[in-house]
Amino acid sequence: DAYQSAWLTGCFPAQFLSAVLTNGKGFYHPLVYVLECHRLGLKLLPPSVNEPGPAFVPHENFIRVPLTRVKGLTTRTADAMIHAREHGAFTSLADFFRRVSPTGEELEVMMRAGAFDEFGETRTRQFWQAQHLLKTFGAGNRSNQGWLIAPPGLEQLPQIPLNEPTRRECLEWEADLFGFAVSGHPLDLFADVAWDTYCPVSRLGEFIGETITTCGLVVEQRTHHQVTGEAMKFLSLADRTGLVETELIADTYKNYGLATVRYPVLEIEARVEPYENDRGFSLRVLRAGAPRKSPAPP
């Protein structure tokens, strides 16, 4: 397969997947390659203003997600950030603000992405620092005060308490900003699903010709028409063990097509059907619906 070929040519999985994610030339949505990273034991590093991109960068068993990919960042700021970094590392949020001049909205999305976490401040502290910088040196103030005069001490920041974001909130922000979770496995967002009650994707090949019940995150879906003109649908489902292709033929699609768009994680009952060349299999879906939930802790 592609990974074996990459290994034989001296391109290790982190390098190979970094290149695929950078160039966007893969067959699947980037989320699929992120899931494959986790399957191979590769973890994603959160974006950093000191390694802004535009490429995904391999670091042994890690891959750095480029900050330039964050949703809401203008081309001007992305280019300014890369140019400024070429002239030296950023030493603080204030240093970044001075050298790049992002808007308040851009600062917010970068904070949500974790781009300034390496400077050691909590997200709450980062928020108040950003408000302080924008108020003191924002577009309407720079011409009057400039950076030759030191800003007021950060001890003067408002003392209004803010709660630190939870891990789930951080994962949700990342999924919104990049299209996939960065600081955890994408399926961590669906920890309430009773995953251990389903047949894992990695074991489906043991049940050729049989009917199984499995569950997966919908990562791709494509609608086609049969020769009869009736609509059908192909789905790619993923769990922590792998990816599987499924199909809902006309009658099944009529009955369960709505479920495929209603539930991001889908439970399916399906028949495991081998390919004609016997080198793989797909699932012929018989039923689809909401996944089972894990029992709530007492």
Side-chain angles (χ1 to χ4, degrees), residues 129-150:
Q129 286 180 337
Q131 302 311 304
H132 170 70
L133 291 166
L134 289 164
K135 183 176 181 180
T136 307
F137 300 112
N141 296 319
R142 288 184 188 139
S143 61
N144 296 325
Q145 187 170 9
W147 278 86
L148 296 178
I149 302 175

Side-chain angles (χ1 to χ4, degrees), residues 31 34-35 38 171 180-182 184-190 217 240:
L31 173 60
V34 169
L35 288 164
H38 285 278
L171 290 172
F180 50 84
V182 175
H185 193 289
L187 294 185
D188 288 348
L189 284 167
F190 306 97
L217 176 66
R240 291 178 186 269

Side-chain angles (χ1 to χ4, degrees), residues 3-33:
Y3 300 107
Q4 185 178 37
S5 300
W7 184 274
L8 291 175
T9 58
C11 182
F12 296 99
Q15 296 171 311
F16 176 77
L17 285 164
S18 294
V20 171
L21 286 164
T22 295
N23 296 316
K25 300 299 183 182
F27 179 76
Y28 293 104
H29 186 281
L31 173 60
V32 176
Y33 300 102

Side-chain angles (χ1 to χ4, degrees), residues 65-194:
V65 176
L67 182 57
T68 53
R69 297 294 181 99
V70 71
K71 188 187 302 181
L73 204 64
T74 63
T75 301
R76 186 211 69 80
T77 294
D79 291 345
M81 176 169 53
I82 293 172
H83 177 74
R85 178 62 183 87
E86 291 172 351
H87 292 81
F90 299 109
T91 59
S92 65
L93 191 157
D95 180 45
F96 177 87
F97 186 82
R98 175 179 64 86
R99 294 165 58 189
V100 178
S101 300
T103 66
E105 291 78 7
E106 289 172 316
L107 270 182
E108 181 178 347
V109 297
M110 286 189 281
M111 282 188 290
R112 286 177 180 266
F116 304 109
D117 289 356
E118 65 192 84
F119 299 132
E121 299 286 0
T122 65
R123 297 286 180 90
T124 300
R125 186 70 173 171
Q126 290 175 35
F127 171 81
W128 288 121
Q129 286 180 337
Q131 302 311 304
H132 170 70
L133 291 166
L134 289 164
K135 183 176 181 180
T136 307
F137 300 112
N141 296 319
R142 288 184 188 139
S143 61
N144 296 325
Q145 187 170 9
W147 278 86
L148 296 178
I149 302 175
L154 291 179
E155 68 276 3
Q156 297 182 26
L157 294 181
Q159 297 302 310
I160 301 173
L162 289 178
N163 294 325
E164 279 296 300
T166 64
R167 181 173 183 273
R168 180 177 179 83
E169 287 174 328
C170 289
L171 290 172
E172 289 174 344
W173 291 342
E174 293 162 1
D176 180 57
L177 295 172
F178 294 102
F180 50 84
V182 175
S183 58
H185 193 289
L187 294 185
D188 288 348
L189 284 167
F190 306 97
D192 60 340
V193 173

Side-chain angles (χ1 to χ4, degrees), residues 6 10 19 34 54 66 76 110 113 124 129 139 164 185 194 202 213 247-248 254 264 279 283 287 294 296:
V34 169
R76 186 211 69 80
M110 286 189 281
T124 300
Q129 286 180 337
E164 279 296 300
H185 193 289
S202 61
T213 302
E247 59 183 37
L248 288 80
K254 287 178 183 177
R279 300 186 62 182
L283 301 183
R287 178 186 59 79
S294 297

Side-chain angles (χ1 to χ4, degrees), residues 26-49:
F27 179 76
Y28 293 104
H29 186 281
L31 173 60
V32 176
Y33 300 102
V34 169
L35 288 164
E36 185 65 3
C37 286
H38 285 278
R39 191 184 70 83
L40 294 173
L42 303 174
K43 299 295 179 64
L44 299 183
L45 292 172
S48 164
V49 291

Side-chain angles (χ1 to χ4, degrees), residues 209-224:
E210 299 182 35
T211 298
I212 54 82
T213 302
T214 191
C215 183
L217 176 66
V218 179
V219 294
E220 293 281 354
Q221 45 186 312
R222 306 168 295 281
T223 304
H224 293 274

